[in-house]
Amino acid sequence: MTGRRLERNSGETRKGGGFRKTQPEKRATEEEEAKAFEELLGEPLRGWDERIEPSVPHLLELEELVTRHREESSRKLWRDLFMLWLLGILVISGMILLYRWNVIAFAVLQALAAAGAVLFLAVSSRKNREAKRRWTT
Amino acid sequence: MSANELEASAQIRLAVRGDTKALASLLHDHYALLYKYMLKITMNKALAEDLVQETMLKAIERIGTFQAKAKFSTWLISIATRLYMDEMRRKGRERKWQSDEQALQAIRFDAAMSREEWPSALDALAGLPPDVRVPIMLKHYYGYSYEEIAQWLDIPLGTVRSRLHNGLSRLRKELNDDDGTQTGTK
């Protein structure tokens, strides 16, 4: 059996040519890393953790926060819904008027709106990908 | 299940159903844990406080979606981690080093005022980039699984493993170098 075939059959290698770790190896690495963390940072972190004294808000303040935030969220939701309906009515009315006035102008506007939407999606997805790549590499 | 656990799960059920007092009580009980977690991963008191507040607001908005598959503290930590990573993404990797250093200086100052030691290991941890520091803390200090960390940070499992490995190697090297320098100067 050739080396390459052996690799393929055992499933122990990956594209880059390096050996993929088996479960016990992974576990051993994990334990080794946990031990290294404990030696390097375990004691200092625990010590610091014990010394941190957060000023916890009073229960009544938190109750007020929950109530207030719920009210605000609900108000915002209704406002957004109202704006959406208003905008929808305006857009649909405008479109109907335009359609009655000139069908070609209506079609051109539809095509422009579709092109704008595609462009917007492409740019925002590229921005997201860029941000993600910068962060993950 | 102990009496405390029963009480906590009853409180969670009430909170999910919309009970204000139950939710406030849960947030109160978990505030210290959340703040300590945020301070350790951000190494910045002001940012930690802001993010704790944001996490609380997000928890109030989303409590209806909490399914109790994990602990309430795990849920809060997952929200806080996502908010922190979003914040870092917004600011980009080229963050103002000076403001980070000033924030760390403030923590060191607090420790000095309380006549407490500030170990060099914590300086080394603060020196790591957030995308390495967070998985190290989540895995080795808080004991979360690779899968959970990968999900919260929105990165592949292999990336979590490599960040943990590289981060720990960097810490080891830095702390050994520090020891070497200190021995050398002696």
Side-chain angles (χ1 to χ4, degrees):
Chain A
M1 199 184 271
T2 62
R4 185 171 293 182
R5 198 161 160 204
L6 184 72
E7 284 169 2
R8 199 167 50 231
N9 287 346
S10 63
E12 293 295 309
T13 58
R14 57 183 166 192
K15 251 185 179 175
F19 282 92
R20 190 179 285 165
K21 282 181 178 173
T22 57
Q23 278 307 322
E25 280 173 340
K26 277 183 188 170
R27 221 169 295 131
T29 312
E30 203 177 322
E31 277 168 20
E32 202 179 292
E33 284 178 358
K35 205 175 148 200
F37 176 86
E38 184 54 36
E39 279 168 13
L40 295 169
L41 289 162
E43 201 54 49
L45 268 174
R46 274 194 296 275
W48 184 33
D49 205 344
E50 279 167 21
R51 291 195 303 265
I52 300 172
E53 285 172 2
S55 53
V56 182
H58 195 273
L59 188 59
L60 288 174
E61 284 177 306
L62 285 169
E63 278 181 26
E64 202 186 312
L65 176 80
V66 175
T67 311
R68 209 175 47 235
H69 191 65
R70 277 186 173 154
E71 282 169 2
E72 267 171 29
S73 301
S74 152
R75 256 202 309 276
K76 192 173 173 288
L77 191 72
W78 279 109
R79 198 179 54 225
D80 288 352
L81 205 62
F82 174 73
M83 293 300 284
L84 186 75
W85 275 101
L86 192 70
L87 198 70
I89 290 167
L90 281 174
V91 169
I92 292 168
S93 313
M95 284 304 197
I96 291 170
L97 286 174
L98 187 70
Y99 180 76
R100 288 187 162 200
W101 176 65
N102 191 331
V103 179
I104 297 169
F106 174 79
V108 169
L109 194 71
Q110 287 287 309
L112 282 175
V118 169
L119 198 72
F120 172 78
L121 284 176
V123 169
S124 60
S125 112
R126 193 180 159 189
K127 269 189 187 167
N128 282 344
R129 266 206 312 274
E130 188 75 10
K132 201 170 175 180
R133 188 185 57 78
R134 254 210 318 268
W135 187 252
T136 50
T137 49
Chain B
M1 202 183 255
S2 71
N4 276 347
E5 282 171 328
L6 275 174
E7 197 186 329
S9 74
Q11 217 165 30
I12 290 171
R13 267 201 304 276
L14 283 172
V16 171
R17 282 187 205 145
D19 188 300
T20 303
K21 282 191 177 172
L23 179 56
S25 170
L26 278 173
L27 294 177
H28 184 263
D29 294 347
H30 291 84
Y31 191 94
L33 173 120
L34 191 61
Y35 177 78
K36 286 181 176 192
Y37 168 68
M38 284 322 299
L39 187 61
K40 285 199 290 289
I41 65 162
T42 60
M43 297 272 177
N44 181 329
K45 280 169 74 178
L47 183 60
E49 275 165 21
D50 283 353
L51 286 168
V52 167
Q53 198 152 8
E54 267 187 62
T55 307
M56 298 264 157
L57 296 179
K58 202 57 104 185
I60 296 170
E61 285 167 22
R62 304 259 173 95
I63 187 68
T65 63
F66 180 61
Q67 293 176 328
K69 282 179 187 164
K71 284 181 177 176
F72 188 73
S73 58
T74 302
W75 185 62
L76 284 179
I77 282 182
S78 74
I79 297 175
T81 306
R82 285 194 178 110
L83 285 173
Y84 178 52
M85 298 322 269
D86 285 349
E87 176 77 14
M88 293 298 104
R89 279 187 190 124
R90 262 202 301 274
K91 284 188 179 175
R93 289 192 83 176
E94 57 289 348
R95 296 189 61 222
K96 285 168 257 134
W97 182 84
Q98 207 174 357
S99 64
D100 285 353
E101 183 51 37
Q102 277 169 355
L104 185 62
Q105 195 69 41
I107 297 175
R108 272 199 220 109
F109 180 75
D110 279 356
M113 288 299 282
S114 328
R115 294 164 188 262
E116 282 151 1
E117 196 193 342
W118 181 259
S120 58
L122 296 179
D123 274 337
L125 181 69
L128 291 177
D131 56 344
V132 176
R133 187 165 62 233
V134 174
I136 288 182
M137 291 298 295
L138 284 171
K139 176 71 195 156
H140 294 303
Y141 194 75
Y142 287 94
Y144 290 110
S145 69
Y146 290 110
E147 288 78 8
E148 282 170 312
I149 300 169
Q151 199 189 348
W152 298 345
L153 303 189
D154 194 20
I155 53 175
L157 213 60
T159 311
V160 177
R161 287 184 195 278
S162 68
R163 281 187 194 176
L164 285 169
H165 180 77
N166 296 338
L168 282 171
S169 305
R170 196 170 145 179
L171 274 175
R172 199 180 289 134
K173 187 176 176 294
E174 213 158 294
L175 291 170
N176 286 345
D177 281 355
D178 273 2
D179 285 350
T181 317
Q182 277 168 14
T183 320
T185 49
K186 276 177 192 171

